[in-house]
Amino acid sequence: MQDITKNNFDFIRVLLAFIVFLGHLGALSVSPELKFLEHSPIEIAVFGFFAVSGFLIARSYDRSSSLKSYLKKRIKRIVPAYLLVVFLCAILLSLVSTYTFAEYFSNTQVYKYLAWNSVFLNFKAPWLPGVFGNQAVNGALWTLKIEMCYYFSVPLLFLLFGKNNKYRNISLIILYFLSLIYLNYFESLNKISVAKQLPGTLSYFIPGMLIYFNFDKFIKHKNLFFIVAIATVWIDLFTNIQLFSPMMIGIIVLYIAYSLKFLNNFGKYGDFTYGIYIFHFPIIRTFQTLGLFKDYNPYLMAFVCMLTVIIVGISSWHFYEKKFL
């Protein structure tokens, strides 16, 4: 049977991060030449991240010696870099604010931004005074509060399931459909932002958990699962009801994770995904604010922007994130 540790998660996460980056580049650059990048499937990439999290967080908790050990590992992975981007944005973006330094740092919004974002409630204070036209500084951070909720949900779900795998599977499937009811109800009311919060996003997280708990069966029949997933993932687009796609996206992502063995060592130089993901949004907005996409060749600036994001992601890992792990 396939070794669970031999996988392509590092490759998948980088791929998903760049799908998100390209979509945001198309939208935030406000460049007609780059507008085609808006077609990058950001939403599917984010849901793919959730499916990967379902698998890896369940594995992390299952293999941890204690709840304390598990939470310590999870918090060290997500919180330090998250706080870094929040504080760096609050300080460095004063350079592109329309306010003077004195006006900027005396404005209470700066400290509201720091306070609310530090506790993952970015929607309470998403902007900084005079920065990016008082628009959201880092729209990518909304997923991080959901990720934190996943971290705390998994121990509760394990407690609820017990150790009986049959009962555990049934419980997860019930939760999956309850999550879908919530998701579809709020989408029917056109309250998309509410629908995409917990418990709606659990429908993308749970498939990863289910595959982890039934890993041997999944690997044994992964080709069949993959074919079924590819054939049925489109049904939701035609029915306008999310029923199959969350589970099918999970199957497709986990299939890729345990196929294409030549990608197994993709992450040997480090895990840059998180840095790329949390820093790309304000970097793109800074390029746009400085007029770089407008005043220079937008394709060249898109490439420079991408290189900047990659360098910042690599630096974040080597000089900061890795030290906490």
Side-chain angles (χ1 to χ4, degrees):
M1 193 55 68
Q2 187 163 343
D3 184 353
I4 198 170
T5 62
K6 299 289 185 181
N7 54 64
N8 304 324
F9 284 124
D10 291 317
F11 167 76
I12 288 172
R13 287 185 295 198
V14 168
L15 175 64
L16 296 177
F18 269 99
I19 289 172
V20 174
F21 165 76
L22 290 174
H24 284 154
L25 183 62
L28 300 176
S29 64
V30 198
S31 169
E33 291 87 351
L34 300 177
K35 192 173 178 60
F36 73 97
L37 294 174
E38 288 186 32
H39 298 294
S40 181
I42 292 177
E43 194 171 78
I44 292 175
V46 169
F47 295 154
F49 271 124
F50 289 158
V52 169
S53 290
F55 186 94
L56 294 180
I57 295 173
R59 188 178 76 172
S60 176
Y61 182 72
D62 196 32
R63 295 187 170 192
S64 294
S65 57
S66 66
L67 176 61
K68 181 180 178 181
S69 170
Y70 159 77
L71 289 176
K72 188 176 179 181
K73 285 187 293 184
R74 294 297 89 210
I75 289 172
K76 280 185 174 182
R77 183 66 193 98
I78 196 171
V79 173
Y82 175 88
L83 292 178
L84 177 68
V85 73
V86 168
F87 279 81
L88 282 181
C89 282
I91 296 167
L92 296 181
L93 292 179
S94 63
L95 298 171
V96 296
S97 174
T98 55
Y99 288 35
T100 66
F101 283 157
E103 291 171 336
Y104 179 87
F105 286 106
S106 63
N107 193 301
T108 57
Q109 180 61 27
V110 174
Y111 306 100
K112 287 180 182 178
Y113 174 85
L114 285 170
W116 285 115
N117 281 264
S118 293
V119 292
F120 291 85
L121 298 178
N122 12 70
F123 65 94
K124 298 287 286 184
W127 58 279
L128 286 165
V131 175
F132 308 147
N134 288 350
Q135 295 179 311
V137 169
N138 199 340
L141 295 187
W142 74 272
T143 61
L144 275 298
K145 67 177 178 296
I146 292 176
E147 192 78 2
M148 284 296 288
C149 289
Y150 288 157
Y151 287 175
F152 292 105
S153 297
V154 165
L156 294 176
L157 293 175
F158 266 73
L159 186 65
L160 174 67
F161 302 147
K163 294 186 178 180
N164 184 299
N165 204 49
K166 181 180 178 182
Y167 175 64
R168 184 161 51 194
N169 288 339
I170 293 171
S171 300
L172 280 173
I173 291 169
I174 291 171
L175 279 173
Y176 173 79
F177 284 107
L178 289 174
S179 173
L180 286 177
I181 291 171
Y182 174 95
L183 182 67
N184 285 295
Y185 173 72
F186 283 104
E187 284 199 340
S188 70
L189 298 178
N190 205 31
K191 294 183 177 180
I192 307 301
S193 61
V194 178
K196 294 297 189 287
Q197 303 299 322
L198 286 177
T201 55
L202 268 177
S203 57
Y204 293 93
F205 183 79
I206 285 172
M209 292 187 72
L210 274 169
I211 291 171
Y212 171 72
F213 291 131
N214 301 276
F215 182 73
D216 290 346
K217 290 180 181 177
F218 174 77
I219 292 300
K220 184 178 180 181
H221 303 291
K222 68 175 183 176
N223 293 329
L224 175 61
F225 284 133
F226 181 70
I227 292 169
V228 171
I230 291 293
T232 59
V233 73
W234 313 105
I235 293 175
D236 291 6
L237 288 174
F238 299 106
T239 61
N240 205 30
I241 297 174
Q242 297 203 54
L243 187 62
F244 299 105
S245 57
M247 186 67 73
M248 298 306 110
I249 287 172
I251 289 172
I252 292 168
V253 169
L254 270 298
Y255 173 86
I256 295 171
Y258 286 96
S259 305
L260 309 173
K261 292 182 180 180
F262 66 92
L263 294 171
N264 282 180
N265 294 320
F266 189 84
K268 64 182 178 180
Y269 298 111
D271 184 2
F272 316 132
T273 308
Y274 188 37
I276 289 170
Y277 183 81
I278 63 176
F279 281 101
H280 80 275
F281 200 99
I283 290 173
I284 295 171
R285 283 224 140 136
T286 299
F287 270 62
Q288 190 276 325
T289 297
L290 296 175
L292 299 181
F293 297 115
K294 181 181 178 182
D295 297 339
Y296 301 93
N297 184 304
Y299 302 110
L300 175 61
M301 285 300 106
F303 181 70
V304 173
C305 185
M306 182 182 70
L307 282 182
T308 303
V309 169
I310 292 171
I311 290 168
V312 170
I314 291 172
S315 300
S316 176
W317 168 255
H318 281 295
F319 300 120
Y320 189 74
E321 296 171 56
K322 193 165 67 170
K323 296 181 185 299
F324 292 92
L325 303 176

